[in-house]
Amino acid sequence: MAEPITYIKKTVLTKEEQRQQKLEDLTALLAENDDSLNKIMGIIGELNDIGVLQAAHSMISAKEKIAQIGLEQITREPVTNLINTLMGATGALMSADSEAATKLVKGAVAGMDSGSDFLKSNQKIKIRDLMKVMNDPDINRTLGFGIHFLRGMGKELKN
C-alpha cells in the first residue's frame, strides 16, 4: 500500500521568473492576435494623423481648467433658470395623468400636421367658414378643451 501524502511542495517563482513567464504569455498573445493588433495600430495611427490623440492629450492635461469652465457655465443664471424650469415642468408632468398627457401630445402633433397642410394650401378663412366649423364635433371638442384649459390655468395662476 502507498504512503499517505503528508507534504505538498509548492513551487514559488522568483520575481525574475514571474517576469519571464509574463513576457512569454504576452509574446504568445501577440502572436495569436497579430491581425487584430495591426488593425488597432492602424486606427491609432489614423487618430494621430487627424489630431484626435493630441486633442485628447491636451484635454487630459487641462482637465482642471476644463472642469472649472464647465462649472462656471453651468452656474450661470440662464442655465440655472433652465434647470429649475425643467425640474418644475418635470414635477408637474409627473403629477399629470399619463394617458391624458399622451392623448394631448398626440392631438397636438396631429393638429400641427393638419395646420401645416392648411398652410401649404394658401386658402383663406372667411367668417362664414368659422361659423360652419363650430358645428364640426372635432373643432367643438378642441374649442371646449381650450376654453376649460384656459379656465383651469387662470385659476392656478390666481393662487
Side-chain angles (χ1 to χ4, degrees):
M1 215 165 151
E3 290 183 32
I5 298 174
T6 58
Y7 177 74
I8 298 175
K9 183 178 179 182
K10 184 176 180 183
T11 307
V12 178
L13 299 176
T14 65
K15 293 272 185 191
E16 185 59 36
E17 290 172 330
Q18 289 176 355
R19 186 183 315 174
Q20 186 62 35
Q21 181 64 41
K22 287 180 183 179
L23 281 174
E24 289 172 9
D25 292 345
L26 183 59
T27 304
L29 190 62
L30 289 172
E32 292 171 8
N33 296 298
D34 64 330
D35 188 44
S36 299
L37 289 170
N38 287 333
K39 289 178 183 176
I40 290 172
M41 293 308 228
I43 291 170
I44 291 174
E46 289 292 326
L47 292 174
N48 188 49
D49 291 345
I50 62 175
V52 171
L53 296 180
Q54 178 63 35
H57 182 266
S58 298
M59 287 175 62
I60 291 170
S61 298
K63 62 185 172 274
E64 290 88 12
K65 290 180 183 177
I66 292 173
Q68 181 181 6
I69 291 169
L71 284 174
E72 288 172 1
Q73 293 299 313
I74 289 174
T75 56
R76 288 182 22 235
E77 186 175 344
V79 176
T80 56
N81 287 345
L82 173 65
I83 292 170
N84 290 335
T85 302
L86 287 174
M87 287 173 47
T90 302
L93 286 174
M94 287 171 44
S95 66
D97 178 24
S98 64
E99 287 182 29
T102 301
K103 189 181 263 190
L104 180 63
V105 170
K106 285 182 178 179
V109 170
M112 286 190 291
D113 290 341
S114 181
S116 294
D117 292 343
F118 171 77
L119 290 176
K120 292 175 187 173
S121 71
N122 286 328
Q123 292 178 353
K124 283 189 171 183
I125 300 244
K126 300 176 180 133
I127 297 290
R128 194 167 35 121
D129 295 330
L130 287 174
M131 298 306 281
K132 284 182 184 177
V133 296
M134 291 296 288
N135 292 326
D136 183 331
D138 294 332
I139 301 241
N140 196 289
R141 186 179 312 110
T142 304
L143 286 174
F145 175 83
I147 290 167
H148 287 86
F149 171 81
L150 292 172
R151 182 176 290 135
M153 189 163 92
K155 285 180 183 177
E156 188 62 33
L157 290 174
K158 183 178 173 184
N159 296 335

